[in-house]
Amino acid sequence: MELQERLNDVRSRIAAAERQSGRPAGSAQLVAVSKTFDAEAIRPAIAAGQRIFGENRVQESQGKWPELKAETAGIELHLIGPLQSNKTADAVALFDVIETVDREKIARAIAGEMKRQGKSLRLYVQVNTGLEPQKAGIAPADTPAFVDFCRNELGLSIEGLMCIPPAEENPGPHFALLAKIAGRCGVEKLSMGMSGDYETAVALGATSVRVGSAIFGAR
């Protein structure tokens, strides 16, 4: 199956999940996760009309996305991997959305860089719904206070929440928990669901799903 066929298949599955859950068409956006793929592999997705992409690493993204963004207007680039504070300036310069605000230090660094660069990125707080010690993210119980801190202390506009459920668990309860926390925090956007579970995520309220291998193939 060619990339365009795989992309169309994912789009149609998202649309079907929207219909089945009584949601408006287009209420769940597709973030095509292009990490580890080079510019040549990404261009067919752009040619097929995809405009929203996700990357895990700042340095890798710098090697391909300035050129791709220059070629095509309207590209929206999401950072969906962990952000190190020493990469904050580069991330703010390149990305449009950072989905992995996960600690006070990085929130302060992003706020400072946006002010310095005169940019206003859209931001998500990453929530560690499974309380996994090896995984980044704010604990569910601490998320409302952290969102308040970002808004009130740093003046950041937090658009939504993001999670990556434990690989070995049913993702549904984690998606439902994230939606519940978002309601408490007064945020409208939910970034949740990947290649193996994005239809479940749409059914549970995802406003964006992060799909990589189902579009680009195995890494």
Side-chain angles (χ1 to χ4, degrees):
M1 195 184 288
E2 294 294 317
L3 183 144
Q4 184 158 354
E5 291 178 85
R6 294 194 296 267
L7 180 59
N8 287 339
D9 180 61
V10 171
R11 287 170 172 164
S12 67
R13 286 171 181 266
I14 290 171
E18 287 172 336
R19 285 194 302 273
Q20 288 163 10
S21 53
R23 296 183 56 186
S27 57
Q29 289 188 316
L30 171 61
V31 179
V33 179
S34 49
K35 65 179 184 179
T36 77
F37 289 95
D38 62 17
E40 284 306 308
I42 296 167
R43 283 191 179 97
I46 296 173
Q50 182 64 26
R51 292 292 179 269
I52 308 174
F53 293 87
E55 289 281 344
N56 262 37
R57 297 177 186 276
V58 176
Q59 196 164 353
E60 179 195 336
S61 303
Q62 287 176 304
K64 53 189 174 181
W65 279 106
E67 180 183 2
L68 290 170
K69 279 187 154 191
E71 290 171 2
T72 304
I75 296 289
E76 182 179 294
L77 192 59
H78 292 227
L79 179 63
I80 60 171
L83 176 59
Q84 298 168 310
S85 54
N86 65 342
K87 297 289 185 185
T88 306
D90 292 335
V92 169
L94 179 60
F95 288 88
D96 304 290
V97 182
I98 295 176
E99 297 198 13
T100 49
V101 182
D102 64 354
R103 59 201 187 279
E104 184 178 318
K105 180 182 179 182
I106 210 68
R108 288 188 185 279
I110 291 168
E113 273 305 325
M114 288 200 302
K115 189 173 182 180
R116 269 189 286 276
Q117 296 186 31
K119 293 189 72 178
S120 181
L121 275 67
R122 292 158 47 207
L123 304 174
Y124 287 61
V125 168
Q126 182 173 351
V127 183
N128 187 348
T129 56
L131 293 172
E132 297 174 274
Q134 80 283 8
K135 193 174 282 181
I138 303 293
D142 298 335
T143 301
F146 182 72
V147 171
D148 283 347
F149 163 78
C150 290
R151 287 172 170 160
N152 301 329
E153 295 286 321
L154 303 179
L156 295 174
S157 178
I158 302 297
E159 175 174 290
L161 304 180
M162 178 267 230
C163 76
I164 306 170
E168 69 285 354
E169 292 186 21
N170 175 4
H174 293 273
F175 297 154
L177 174 61
L178 195 72
K180 188 176 179 181
I181 298 167
R184 285 199 210 115
C185 295
V187 299
E188 296 182 354
K189 303 287 188 180
L190 292 170
S191 172
M192 56 192 196
M194 297 186 287
S195 286
D197 55 25
Y198 64 88
E199 289 159 292
T200 301
V202 172
L204 290 168
T207 56
S208 60
V209 294
R210 310 179 304 275
V211 181
S213 57
I215 296 169
F216 291 100
R219 292 186 171 82

